[in-house]
Amino acid sequence: MERTKILVTGGAGYIGSHAVVELYEAGFMPVIIDDFSNSRESVLTGLEQILGVRVPFHRVDCNDAEAMRAVFAEEGNLRGAIHFAAYKAVGESIEKPLEYYQNNIGSLLTLLQVMREFGVEALVFSSSCTVYGVPDKLPVTELTPTKKANSPYGATKQMCEDILRDVAAAPSNRLKTILLRYFNPIGAHASAKIGELPLGVPQNLIPYVTQTAAGIREKLTIYGDTYATPDGTNIRDYVHVVDLAKAHVVAVQRLLDGKGEVVETFNIGTGRGNTVLEVVHAFERATGQKLNYVIGPPRPGDVPAIYADVTKATQELGFRTTATLEEALASSWKWQQSLAAVS
Ligand code: UFG
C-alpha cells in the first residue's frame, strides 16, 4: 500500500528530524523541506541510516512560494503538513526582529497559501510554551491566558497561532489545524544518529551541559539561583524529543481522521517541572560524568518557572510521554559522544 505523504518543513532540524523518523515508522511517507539555514545536510544521512531508505527531500526556503508550489506539484498527493521551519533563538530575535517576523510569519503565510492552492487541508503547527509568558498559575493549561511575549521570537509564535485561528475560522476555509505548544525538548534518538546540532556556542541548557561534560566548554553557568523555587534555579518541563515527535504522529492521524475541532491546541510536555540544578544532578547520575558548573546572574527574559498541565493531551489525543529525565539525558550524552567520535 502506498504511504500517505506528509510534508515536513524544517525536517532536517532537531525536532523535525525526530518527527520524520516517527512518521515513517508509523507508516507515513514524510517529505522533507529544509534550506539548512539552521541544520546540516548530514542529518539526511543519519535519517537514512535509521530508516534504511532516503525519504524525499527538497532544499527549499518556505518563504519562496514558487519553489513551494514546485514541491507540491512534484509530490502530487500530499495529505497534510507539519510546519517546523522557523527561527527559534530568543536572544537572536531581539537582535534581528525583522528577520524573525519576516521568516516565521512569512513562511507560515506562504505555506498556507500554497496548501490552499493544492487542496491540502491538514496542518500541525510547532508552537511553544513561550506563548504563556510569565504565567500567574502553575501548571499551565491550554486555557491559561497568553501574556505579552518577552521576545520577537515569542511574538511570532503568538501571531502564527492567531493567523491559524483566523484562517481556520473563515467561512470558506477547509483547513484543520493542531497547534502543539512544546515545552523544553531534550534528548536524541536512541541510535544516536540524529540529535540536537547547535551551530556555534549552544544557547540551550542541555547541549551546553553535554559539551561541558565532553570538555568542549569549560563550565556551565547556571543563570541565577535566587528564584522563588525550591533550590532557587528556574523550573522547566523537559520532554524527550522522541516523545515529542510521537505527538506529531498522533496529531496528524487525528486530522486525517477528521476528528476534533477545526483548531485545537495541546500542551506537549511531561507534566513535571525540574529545576536547573535537578537537571544537572540527574545528568550526573544518568551518565556518571561530573559536571563543572558555576552560578551566574539571571539571564534577562527567563521565565522563573513553567511546566505543563497535560490533561488535555492525555484525554483527547490519548498522548502521554514515557521517557524519564534520566533516560532523556542519557540519550543526549550518547549523541554528544557520537558527535565527538566523528569530529
Ligand atoms: N540555562 C542555564 N545555563 C545555560 C543555558 C540555560 O542555566 O547555559 C537555564 C535557563 O536559564 C533556563 C533553563 O536552563 O532556566 C532552560 O534554558 P533553555 O535556554 O534550554 O530553554 P528556555 O526554557 O529558555 O527556552 C526554551 C526554548 C525556546 C522557547 C522557550 C519558552 O529554547 O525556544 O523554551 O518556550 F521559547
Side-chain angles (χ1 to χ4, degrees):
M1 214 179 74
E2 202 170 313
R3 289 169 174 258
T4 301
K5 283 187 188 173
I6 304 294
L7 186 73
V8 184
T9 76
Y14 175 40
I15 308 172
S17 59
H18 288 82
V20 164
V21 170
E22 298 307 317
L23 283 165
Y24 189 85
E25 290 186 343
F28 292 97
M29 180 55 82
V31 173
I32 301 175
I33 287 185
D34 209 296
D35 66 354
F36 299 126
S37 60
N38 193 23
S39 59
R40 298 204 187 114
E41 273 190 81
S42 59
V43 174
L44 300 180
T45 310
L47 287 172
E48 187 174 359
Q49 287 171 349
I50 293 170
L51 300 175
V53 294
R54 221 172 163 87
V55 300
F57 167 76
H58 303 267
R59 185 168 189 160
V60 162
D61 172 352
C62 295
N63 287 282
D64 183 342
E66 272 317 307
M68 291 288 279
R69 285 189 187 101
V71 172
F72 277 66
E74 185 186 329
E75 294 293 342
N77 52 349
L78 292 167
R79 291 285 310 284
I82 308 179
H83 187 43
F84 291 104
Y87 294 158
K88 61 171 187 178
V90 173
E92 185 186 61
S93 78
I94 296 167
E95 307 290 319
K96 300 181 179 173
L98 189 54
E99 282 79 359
Y100 270 68
Y101 287 113
Q102 175 68 55
N103 187 54
N104 291 7
I105 309 293
S107 65
L108 176 66
L109 295 176
T110 305
L111 175 64
L112 287 173
Q113 172 71 34
V114 177
M115 283 175 68
R116 185 169 66 181
E117 287 169 18
F118 284 81
V120 180
E121 294 166 0
L123 178 68
V124 178
F125 177 72
S126 299
S127 190
S128 163
C129 68
T130 196
V131 300
Y132 297 115
V134 180
D136 294 328
K137 211 168 138 252
L138 290 171
V140 290
T141 76
E142 291 79 356
L143 296 175
T144 297
T146 58
K147 298 274 193 70
K148 185 175 162 33
N150 58 2
S151 71
Y153 160 76
T156 68
K157 290 296 172 191
Q158 293 180 339
M159 289 176 191
C160 286
E161 285 200 2
D162 287 341
I163 289 166
L164 286 164
R165 278 188 279 267
D166 286 347
V167 171
S172 61
N173 166 70
R174 299 183 56 84
L175 180 79
K176 284 192 73 172
T177 183
I178 293 181
L179 318 178
L180 297 182
R181 290 177 175 165
Y182 312 150
F183 284 71
N184 287 55
I186 62 167
H189 191 261
S191 66
K193 301 286 186 202
I194 56 170
E196 190 167 5
L197 261 182
L199 305 179
V201 181
Q203 306 295 311
N204 292 115
L205 177 62
I206 303 309
Y208 210 102
V209 164
T210 59
Q211 289 195 8
T212 303
I216 301 167
R217 311 280 159 207
E218 190 201 338
K219 57 179 185 292
L220 169 76
T221 301
I222 294 181
Y223 296 136
D225 69 350
T226 55
Y227 289 98
T229 61
D231 62 25
T233 63
N234 289 151
I235 292 177
R236 295 287 183 275
D237 184 332
Y238 295 94
V239 51
H240 196 307
V241 70
V242 173
D243 277 331
L244 177 56
K246 287 181 174 151
H248 295 79
V249 177
V250 177
V252 162
Q253 193 61 58
R254 181 176 175 87
L255 291 170
L256 297 183
D257 290 345
K259 291 198 194 130
E261 314 288 321
V262 283
V263 186
E264 292 182 308
T265 308
F266 294 100
N267 285 340
I268 305 294
T270 64
R272 292 186 306 266
N274 286 105
T275 66
V276 180
L277 274 171
E278 282 170 354
V279 171
V280 166
H281 295 134
F283 179 81
E284 292 181 330
R285 273 197 310 279
T287 64
Q289 299 294 313
K290 192 97 196 75
L291 200 75
N292 191 17
Y293 70 85
V294 292
I295 307 289
R299 181 168 67 175
D302 265 345
V303 171
I306 188 163
Y307 60 99
D309 183 316
V310 295
T311 310
K312 189 178 175 201
T314 310
Q315 290 183 350
E316 295 184 31
L317 287 182
F319 172 78
R320 61 176 79 235
T321 59
T322 59
T324 64
L325 180 61
E326 279 81 0
E327 285 165 348
L329 292 167
S331 72
S332 294
W333 179 233
K334 188 175 170 196
W335 164 243
Q336 179 68 54
Q337 289 173 298
S338 81
L339 281 179
V342 292
S343 57

